[in-house]
Amino acid sequence: MMSALSAGERNPAVLAQMARASLRTKINALEEAFTGRFTDHHAFLLAKMLARVDQLNRDIAEVDAKIEELIAPFEQAMERLDDIPGIGRTAASLILSEIGLDMTRFPTAGHLASWARFAPTTKESAGRKKGRSATGHGNPYLARVLGEAAVSAGKTNTFLGERYRRIARRRGKKRAIVAVGRSILTIVWHLLSDPNARFIDLGAAFYDTRIGPERKKRNHVRQLEALGYRVILEPIA
């Protein structure tokens, strides 16, 4: 529609009929929007804007093609990281670009998390803890992609998703992002350390199946009390 405007079409009805998909339900509103003063000078400026958008789209396409060319040697590693909830192809390529493939530099997953500063730190002086358990200054690009991956994982019906939700309920979303981001980084370390390793999701019900009967009982009682019930437990036998 904007291209037609810049090319000289001024009929609101004709322009509105060029709508596609969901915009087809707004033909009347589009006709009203196209009714007004639009001169050749406006068309000239619009053509320049559209040309700039087209050039930016071509530049983005070229950059994407170059990225695909450069990450081709790491395709297998990317596919394995792509199995982690919250990690897509773009996130996998960003993680690999920041930490590389050689995990011998990090003896354990904890060393990698420490290097990335994606773990709460505690400052202590004279026996008193200080600070707000912030992650400290680390790799900002890696921290950003891990944070986004943690939030995305929190929306899935997986072990990481349930872990995010449990921590967010008790300690807030920021701490959940750090905890799940660290978990994702730990998984990445194991996958890259062992070329034969594959990610296997433990499932969203992992916590429920592993906690003991007493803890499960306390959790159920707490949930009922939160709903306004007074709970009195009596053994069946």
Side-chain angles (χ1 to χ4, degrees), residues 112-128:
L112 174 58
S114 178
W115 172 82
R117 293 291 191 272
F118 216 79
T121 58
T122 301
K123 297 179 181 179
E124 186 171 332
S125 177
R128 298 180 63 183

Side-chain angles (χ1 to χ4, degrees), residues 1-234:
M1 288 183 282
M2 288 190 290
S3 295
L5 267 174
S6 64
E9 180 61 61
R10 299 291 185 270
N11 190 322
V14 174
L15 291 168
Q17 287 301 323
M18 297 179 183
R20 297 291 182 269
S22 60
L23 280 178
R24 297 294 302 176
T25 63
K26 303 178 181 179
I27 297 296
N28 293 335
L30 287 172
E31 288 186 15
E32 184 178 353
F34 283 124
T35 301
R37 182 172 176 271
F38 192 87
T39 66
D40 291 340
H41 177 67
H42 295 136
F44 172 79
L45 295 177
L46 178 58
K48 292 298 181 183
M49 294 176 186
L50 292 176
R52 179 165 296 183
V53 171
D54 291 339
Q55 182 58 50
L56 289 173
N57 287 333
R58 287 192 292 270
D59 290 342
I60 292 173
E62 291 179 6
V63 172
D64 287 341
K66 188 62 176 180
I67 291 175
E68 290 296 325
E69 176 187 338
L70 294 174
I71 64 177
F74 313 107
E75 187 65 31
Q76 292 184 352
M78 288 183 57
E79 289 179 356
R80 286 186 286 130
L81 296 190
D82 192 18
D83 292 336
I84 305 173
I87 298 292
R89 185 175 180 81
T90 300
S93 63
L94 287 170
I95 291 173
L96 289 176
S97 67
E98 296 302 326
I99 68 176
L101 289 176
D102 183 13
M103 292 296 102
T104 60
R105 298 177 299 160
F106 307 107
T108 66
H111 285 80
L112 174 58
S114 178
W115 172 82
R117 293 291 191 272
F118 216 79
T121 58
T122 301
K123 297 179 181 179
E124 186 171 332
S125 177
R128 298 180 63 183
K129 294 181 179 180
K130 299 181 179 181
R132 297 182 178 179
S133 297
T135 58
H137 298 291
N139 186 313
Y141 308 105
L142 183 59
R144 184 178 300 113
V145 69
L146 287 175
E148 292 174 354
V151 173
S152 297
K155 301 175 183 178
T156 63
N157 188 32
T158 61
F159 168 77
L160 289 177
E162 183 61 20
R163 174 169 170 77
Y164 177 91
R165 292 185 289 271
R166 288 170 65 91
I167 297 175
R169 286 194 298 267
R170 293 182 291 109
R171 309 191 68 187
K173 293 182 179 179
K174 290 184 178 180
R175 291 179 183 271
I177 289 174
V178 173
V180 175
R182 181 187 174 95
S183 296
I184 291 175
L185 199 57
T186 299
I187 296 170
V188 168
W189 181 87
H190 284 285
L191 292 177
L192 296 181
S193 297
D194 182 2
N196 297 319
R198 293 294 184 273
F199 174 77
I200 299 176
D201 182 33
L202 297 176
F206 177 82
Y207 287 103
D208 294 333
T209 58
R210 292 302 180 95
I211 59 178
E214 287 300 319
R215 183 177 177 184
K216 185 180 296 185
K217 182 173 63 178
R218 290 196 303 270
N219 287 342
H220 288 313
V221 169
R222 191 180 300 114
Q223 291 172 6
L224 288 170
E225 289 175 343
L227 293 174
Y229 293 95
R230 184 173 61 183
V231 181
I232 299 175
L233 300 177
E234 294 182 0

